[in-house]
Amino acid sequence: MLPQALIFDVDGTLAETERDGHRMAFNAAFREAGLGWTWDEALYGELLAVAGGKERIRAFLSRHQPGFDPPGGESLETFVARLHRMKNAHFARLLEQGAVNLRPGVARLIGEARAAGVPLAIATTTSPENVERLLARTLGPEAPGWFACIVAGDMVPAKKPAPDAYLRVLAELDADPGRCMAFEDSAQGLKAARTAGLPVVVTPSHYTRGEDFTGAALVVSDLGEPARPFRVLAGDAGGAGWVDLGLIRRLLEGQARAREAVR
Ligand code: XBP
Ligand code: MG
């Protein structure tokens, strides 16, 4: 039986966007705005616990710049929104420059799902513009249209680890969560998808390695390619070396059996 849908997180899962794009873009925006702030790798790793770029800037201000007042009497909300727009313009430029590439196996699995008629969807904390630009730049200009639904952070009341983005995708697709597979790179994303009732394949990314992925159906280094198999980090891949529709079907069947066993 084919899965009802494959639902992908974006940042860290489709590509190493945090490492190769967002952090640099935040720093470029701070320079452009004449602010003397730099988010180094360690600080960014800490700030990533706050989902959402605008929320992350606010968390940084309250934790690391407590006395900060926006310039020219601007409200904090307007200032943060303006800085975040600047950051996204830098992120778009980095994408155009080809600084961000898809992780192994992503394009292959998306292609296999399309060929088999399995619906694709996105549940992300970033903005629709960032998603569309990333998909278009890495998979081709038509790629955003391959996704039956793209639910982004500001479209739902609460960002991950809340399940809202996944619940909205499931409602839009009228899909049974137990028959879909979600793809995530972080413990926060895993929690969001599990709370929505979805089985999850986790491919840890640069900033999320070492997080606790208890509850994942499978944790692998990446989605793998025939010429470059994944490493299994937790769970049973049944000897497979890459995530394809056959492995997803076996994982979904295993999860369904596990649910039956506890009934
Ligand atoms: C991603 C995020 C986002 C990105 C930046 O989380 O938290 O905030 O870091 O994007 P996830 P924006 O992978 O769980 O969706 O600046 O557009 O928010
Ligand atoms: Mg992510």
Side-chain angles (χ1 to χ4, degrees):
M1 201 174 43
L2 286 170
Q4 278 188 352
L6 305 187
I7 312 174
F8 292 90
D9 168 50
V10 174
D11 293 304
T13 299
L14 296 185
E16 287 279 11
T17 49
E18 304 292 4
R19 184 192 65 190
D20 300 337
H22 288 301
R23 185 176 73 89
M24 273 84 111
F26 278 111
N27 285 331
F30 300 155
R31 278 195 300 277
E32 186 188 345
L35 301 159
W37 309 334
T38 307
W39 288 358
D40 63 18
E41 285 246 351
L43 176 59
Y44 196 64
E46 176 199 317
L47 292 170
L48 273 176
V50 182
K54 292 189 286 286
E55 292 79 357
R56 194 165 298 141
I57 296 170
R58 281 176 174 276
F60 167 74
L61 289 175
S62 64
R63 287 181 206 168
H64 298 276
Q65 304 285 335
F68 176 79
D69 272 325
E74 202 176 22
S75 77
L76 188 64
E77 195 179 335
T78 312
F79 167 77
V80 169
R82 187 166 61 82
L83 197 55
H84 189 247
R85 273 196 305 278
M86 286 162 70
K87 173 273 202 182
N88 276 343
H90 286 287
F91 182 71
R93 183 180 46 76
L94 285 166
L95 285 179
E96 277 320 305
Q97 290 170 352
V100 186
N101 296 302
L102 295 180
R103 294 187 61 190
V106 169
R108 176 190 50 72
L109 180 58
I110 287 174
E112 189 190 348
R114 290 187 68 225
V118 174
L120 297 166
I122 297 272
T124 177
T125 290
T126 194
S127 61
E129 299 77 33
N130 285 351
V131 178
E132 282 162 21
R133 284 191 190 114
L134 176 72
L135 294 174
R137 182 68 179 78
T138 54
L139 289 165
E142 333 69 37
W146 301 346
F147 290 77
C149 109
I150 296 180
V151 173
D154 289 336
M155 294 163 64
V156 288
K159 294 184 177 174
K160 299 174 189 177
D164 301 34
Y166 280 106
L167 291 172
R168 170 90 174 257
V169 167
L170 289 167
E172 286 197 15
L173 298 181
D174 194 19
D176 170 358
R179 294 181 54 198
C180 301
M181 186 61 83
F183 297 86
E184 274 288 351
D185 70 303
S186 69
Q188 301 223 55
L190 169 65
K191 184 170 178 205
R194 293 297 293 141
T195 307
L198 287 154
V200 187
V201 170
V202 175
T203 53
S205 60
H206 179 74
Y207 283 106
T208 63
R209 273 174 220 140
E211 290 185 355
D212 179 4
F213 300 120
T214 306
L218 183 68
V219 185
V220 280
S221 54
D222 50 66
L223 295 178
E225 297 282 13
R228 188 189 169 288
F230 54 50
R231 273 179 302 112
V232 178
L233 304 175
D236 182 4
W242 55 94
V243 177
D244 60 8
L245 292 178
L247 175 56
I248 291 168
R249 181 174 47 75
R250 293 194 295 281
L251 291 170
L252 292 178
E253 287 166 359
Q255 298 276 305
R257 276 196 302 276
R259 279 197 302 276
E260 278 304 310
V262 295
R263 277 212 184 124

